[in-house]
Amino acid sequence: IKKRDYEQRVIQVEKCSFTPLVYSTSGGMAPQAQAFHKRIAELIAEKTNEEYRDVISMMRVKLSFALLKSVLMSVRGSRGKSSHKREIPISEVSFNLIPDGLTGDFIFS
C-alpha cells in the first residue's frame, strides 16, 4: 500500500519511479533490491573496469556488515555516552551469585 501511494506521487510529481529497498536482518533482499544491486554493480564494474563478480561481492560484504551493525545497535544499544545514566545504590546490588545445583536458580544470602 505504501509503495503504491509513494509510486503514484513520484510518477506524477517527480516524473520518475520509486523502488523501496527492502532487506531482512539476515541479509535477504526483496526482488527489487536484488535487481537494484545487480544494476549498480554492473555500472560500477563498467566504470571502474573491474570484474562484475568482484564488485557485487564487495557490495554484498559491505551490506552484510551494515545490516549486522544495525542489528547489533538495536539489540545492544549504542556504545556512546548515555544522556540519562541510572545509578543503582550499592545497597541494592547483590554480589552473591552462587548458582543452586538443583534448580539453576541463584541463592542470595
Side-chain angles (χ1 to χ4, degrees):
I1 295 172
K2 198 174 205 178
K3 181 182 175 185
R4 266 186 275 141
D5 294 342
Y6 282 117
E7 192 169 36
Q8 290 302 318
R9 180 193 170 280
V10 169
I11 288 172
Q12 291 173 358
V13 176
E14 307 288 336
K15 306 290 190 242
C16 58
S17 64
F18 173 76
T19 302
L21 302 178
V22 179
Y23 305 95
S24 72
T25 56
S26 61
M29 296 184 222
Q32 295 91 347
Q34 286 180 338
F36 169 79
H37 278 268
K38 286 179 182 180
R39 180 66 178 139
I40 293 295
E42 288 172 4
L43 293 172
I44 292 172
E46 184 179 315
K47 184 174 183 175
T48 61
N49 294 323
E50 295 183 43
E51 293 289 325
Y52 169 80
R53 66 174 183 261
D54 295 334
V55 174
I56 195 75
S57 177
M58 182 54 72
M59 287 177 62
R60 288 179 180 150
V61 167
K62 288 183 176 256
L63 176 66
S64 294
F65 277 103
L67 290 171
L68 180 61
K69 183 179 177 182
S70 68
V71 169
L72 287 174
M73 292 268 309
S74 67
V75 169
R76 185 184 61 182
S78 175
R79 297 191 97 177
K81 291 185 177 182
S82 176
S83 60
H84 53 282
K85 291 184 179 179
R86 190 176 82 109
E87 292 187 23
I88 301 171
I90 195 73
S91 60
E92 292 181 19
V93 178
S94 173
F95 296 102
N96 189 5
L97 301 176
I98 302 170
D100 179 4
L102 300 175
T103 62
D105 296 332
F106 290 101
I107 302 171
F108 299 100
S109 50

